Amino acid sequence: MAGMLPDYVASAKPVPKENRTPWYASTAPTYAGIFLWFVFWHQVPVIKELVRGSGIPLNAGGALSQGIGIALLALVVSALLCHYLFYLVPGNLGVKTGLPLYIVGTSTYGVQGGFIMPGFLMGCLQFGWLAVNAFFTTGLLCAPFGVGFGSPTYAIVAVVFVVLATFMGLKGIQYVGRVATYLPLFPLAILIVLALVSVGGLVQFDHKKLVEAGKEPLPAATQSESGARPQAAEAPKAADPLTVWGVFVAIATYVVGFFATAGAAGVDFGMGNRDENDVKWGGLVGIAGAIILTGGLSLLIAAGAAGAGLLDKPPVLQTSTIMGKLAPSLGEAAPGVFWYLLAIAAFPPACFSSFIAANSFKTTLPKVNPFVSCGIGALVAILLVLSGYAGNAAGVFTIIGASFGPVCGAMAADYLLAGKRWAGPRAGFNPAGWVSWIVGFVVGGIDLVLGTSYVPCPPVAAFIVGFVLYGVLALAGLETESLEMPTEEA
């Protein structure tokens, strides 16, 4: 049956065992670098913003509304969900096959369907990542000059950032990669310094006082800078604080949504590992450990600044913005230096997003010039930034989680049904995979469409739907026939 395989599947070769590397030299540092990216950790105390670009939580007190302990515990649970639900199975599939995601995915979605899912989808979503990166990085680059979202300067800087990142991703990723290994040390050092500066305020931190301060109306100046209309009859005001359950759901939605595509990409990381032990420790240290470290420090910094009385009313809890409030302790020039160091460290991830997208499009759209496909993606990213939609990081991560939650869930079900191994490519479009993805995506994204909050933790809900529905459909016989690979597993 090997003749029935498309060339891109039949020609795939596993990574040789002798070319594989230990977890501490590959998987762990690479994943840790993702979570050291400031776009992840600076928003953890906020989750959702009251007004775009304000750094003020939509719910009074944000993630800290029930105290530091609850927030940290929710972060730990979210980190474990990322490791065990979204990464472990893809990582094991990678190490057992030595093959990349777009090949391994043909078991779940078929050799024709796998061309689109997850390969093409992965490429498309990278420009959502690029847009979020550009939105917040441009904010840091413009902050020292008092320029904010909506100004011509902001627009120009954002466009230049997206275009350069896309070009480097297409042509110069090898040069960016040479320095990208060391740049994550910048945000790590900044987090440690800010934590040390703000640690004294933790003793005075009172989450009830933070919630009360968060209920204050948004000042007119902040409304104007953030794009809201100061002439409105009533100033924007934070919603009620999150409950304990709400904190868990909000943090998990944010963290898991952020990680979803990287979880499926665990196949690509795993194929370079030596064994399943490498997969396990690479995830526990590089994913769970890094989430707890960076997100935890961000929560502690925000709580310490609040406890020390350094925040206005309503309080801004975005860690990158709090740097300005810590200026008396750090020196007047320190916040600007920190902002630029974070912006520099954010450029390689933007290039890598474009690089992943380009590789995906080259595989799935071989007849289309990658400059055209990636150029269209860059244009979409620019529109997302300039419209402000990219500033809703929690919303973007929810869409990403809804897209890849059912992918990871279906892959996990397929893996378990096959006896904890790769079942091999399947013919055509595998109905079990596609139906489970469609339903899972609808469940994961319905709240954003309807503007409601019926589905708790949409990325995890999408995973569960994808997992259960794939299993049911597979047992009902709705899987296409398996095709034989011309090469053996690694």
Side-chain angles (χ1 to χ4, degrees):
M1 292 188 187
M4 298 172 61
L5 291 173
D7 289 341
Y8 84 97
V9 179
S11 61
K13 303 293 182 183
V15 176
K17 289 287 188 181
E18 61 270 19
N19 292 346
R20 302 192 184 190
T21 54
W23 63 272
Y24 53 81
S26 55
T27 307
T30 304
Y31 269 123
I34 295 173
F35 293 107
L36 282 166
W37 182 28
F38 86 94
V39 173
F40 167 70
W41 51 259
H42 85 148
Q43 202 78 351
V44 171
V46 181
I47 304 297
K48 293 183 179 180
E49 289 182 295
L50 173 61
V51 172
R52 178 184 56 222
S54 67
I56 298 170
L58 173 63
N59 296 91
L64 293 166
S65 60
Q66 296 297 326
I68 299 174
I70 294 297
L72 290 176
L73 182 58
L75 189 67
V76 171
V77 171
S78 302
L80 296 177
L81 286 173
C82 289
H83 172 74
Y84 285 106
L85 290 189
F86 284 75
Y87 160 77
L88 203 53
V89 165
N92 283 332
L93 282 167
V95 78
K96 289 181 178 183
T97 63
L99 297 170
L101 175 63
Y102 70 90
I103 299 297
V104 171
T106 60
S107 173
T108 308
Y109 298 100
V111 293
Q112 298 301 323
F115 210 56
I116 304 171
M117 180 79 71
F120 182 73
L121 179 63
M122 176 74 82
C124 291
L125 291 177
Q126 294 308 309
F127 288 102
W129 275 106
L130 177 59
V132 174
N133 193 339
F135 181 92
F136 289 106
T137 302
T138 301
L140 294 187
L141 293 171
C142 293
F145 305 100
V147 176
F149 173 80
S151 68
T153 302
Y154 180 98
I156 293 171
V157 173
V159 170
V160 171
F161 184 89
V162 171
V163 171
L164 284 179
T166 302
F167 180 79
M168 291 293 285
L170 281 165
K171 287 295 185 180
I173 196 67
Q174 65 271 26
Y175 302 108
V176 178
R178 293 176 184 175
V179 296
T181 303
Y182 306 101
L183 289 182
L185 296 176
F186 289 164
L188 178 60
I190 290 170
L191 275 171
I192 293 173
V193 170
L194 292 176
L196 292 175
V197 170
S198 60
V199 68
L202 292 176
V203 178
Q204 289 80 35
F205 175 73
D206 184 336
H207 67 276
K208 294 180 180 179
K209 292 182 179 179
L210 180 65
V211 168
E212 288 302 314
K215 294 179 180 179
E216 295 288 330
L218 194 67
T222 307
Q223 295 173 50
S224 178
E225 293 168 5
S226 305
R229 291 177 297 175
Q231 68 270 25
E234 187 174 343
K237 190 176 180 181
D240 291 336
L242 296 168
T243 62
V244 172
W245 171 249
V247 170
F248 273 84
V249 169
I251 291 180
T253 299
Y254 179 87
V255 173
V256 176
F258 176 92
F259 178 71
T261 55
V267 175
D268 296 324
F269 289 105
M271 73 178 187
N273 284 156
R274 302 168 302 178
D275 51 39
E276 290 182 64
N277 196 53
D278 276 342
V279 173
K280 179 184 73 174
W281 284 106
L284 287 175
V285 175
I287 298 170
I291 290 171
I292 295 168
L293 174 65
T294 59
L297 286 176
S298 186
L299 287 168
L300 293 175
I301 291 165
L310 299 177
L311 306 183
D312 299 323
K313 294 182 180 181
V316 173
L317 296 183
Q318 192 177 63
T319 315
S320 59
T321 305
I322 291 174
M323 293 176 193
K325 297 295 183 180
L326 297 172
S329 301
L330 298 170
E332 293 300 326
V337 173
F338 284 0
W339 287 331
Y340 268 76
L341 289 177
L342 291 178
I344 292 170
F347 187 66
C351 298
F352 285 128
S353 292
S354 302
F355 177 67
I356 293 170
N359 283 347
S360 172
F361 293 156
K362 287 174 185 177
T363 302
T364 58
L365 302 171
K367 296 182 180 180
V368 178
N369 188 316
F371 274 92
V372 174
S373 56
C374 288
I376 294 172
L379 178 60
V380 172
I382 290 170
L383 293 176
L384 288 172
V385 174
L386 299 185
S387 66
Y389 285 111
N392 180 12
V396 174
F397 297 157
T398 297
I399 293 173
I400 292 174
S403 300
F404 265 79
V407 171
C408 294
M411 289 178 66
D414 191 11
Y415 175 76
L416 293 176
L417 289 172
K420 294 186 177 181
R421 65 180 183 86
W422 185 47
R426 291 193 171 91
F429 287 82
N430 184 22
W434 279 91
V435 172
S436 65
W437 181 81
I438 292 170
V439 177
F441 178 75
V442 170
V443 170
I446 192 67
D447 282 354
L448 286 177
V449 176
L450 299 180
T452 60
S453 55
Y454 292 135
V455 180
C457 197
V460 176
F463 175 96
I464 294 172
V465 171
F467 179 87
V468 172
L469 196 53
Y470 187 94
V472 170
L473 295 175
L475 293 174
L478 291 179
E479 286 180 315
T480 53
E481 64 173 324
S482 294
L483 306 177
E484 185 180 349
M485 286 287 287
T487 57
E488 296 181 357
E489 289 187 355

